[in-house]
Amino acid sequence: MTNPLHPILMAKPEGPAEDGQGAAVAEKEELALEPPRLFQVVMLNDDFTPMEFVVFVLQEHFRHDIETATQIMLKIHHEGRGVCGVYTKDVAATKVELVLAAARQAGHPLQCILETA
């Protein structure tokens, strides 16, 4: 009958390892992790996209309640731009694409951009 264990796994260490000589201790290095950079999703004002559509997009894609969505929409309307949310780069880029796709599908020229926070 053959031994099911691999011969390398069964081999005993050779040399002076049993008396502690030559043994090495691996120290765990602490990684300096930085939080991911954040990006703002910003909607820009135009004279053609209905305010109701902007509120809808803010509720649908950014999960704002009606009051918050309305306040952001008014900021966009009066100041020319408004921050919809702050996210990591991948999430923010996805939100921008979703907003632009929804605007295109609805036939509105709504613009949405990504900026560093």
Side-chain angles (χ1 to χ4, degrees), residues 15-108:
E18 290 182 21
D19 62 3
Q21 293 180 353
V25 177
E27 292 184 22
K28 185 176 179 179
E29 270 190 47
E30 296 231 5
L31 296 176
L33 296 178
E34 294 180 15
R37 287 180 42 197
L38 296 177
F39 292 80
Q40 297 178 355
V41 177
V42 179
M43 271 194 219
L44 305 176
N45 188 45
D46 64 69
D47 294 331
F48 305 101
T49 304
M51 293 177 176
E52 295 81 12
F53 181 77
V54 173
V55 171
F56 166 76
V57 168
L58 288 165
Q59 289 181 285
E60 185 72 18
H61 295 288
F62 299 95
R63 302 292 181 223
H64 291 298
D65 58 45
I66 187 75
E67 293 82 16
T68 305
T70 302
Q71 289 302 313
I72 295 170
M73 177 273 299
L74 289 172
K75 182 175 178 71
I76 295 166
H77 180 70
H78 292 296
E79 298 179 20
R81 56 190 285 125
V83 176
C84 306
V86 179
Y87 308 94
T88 59
K89 187 174 186 178
D90 290 343
V91 174
T94 300
K95 298 271 187 191
V96 168
E97 290 303 317
L98 289 171
V99 169
L100 293 176
R104 260 192 318 271
Q105 185 176 8
H108 302 303

Side-chain angles (χ1 to χ4, degrees), residues 1-5:
M1 179 179 247
T2 62
N3 189 336
L5 296 177

Side-chain angles (χ1 to χ4, degrees), residues 2-11:
T2 62
N3 189 336
L5 296 177
H6 194 278
I8 293 175
L9 298 176
M10 293 179 49

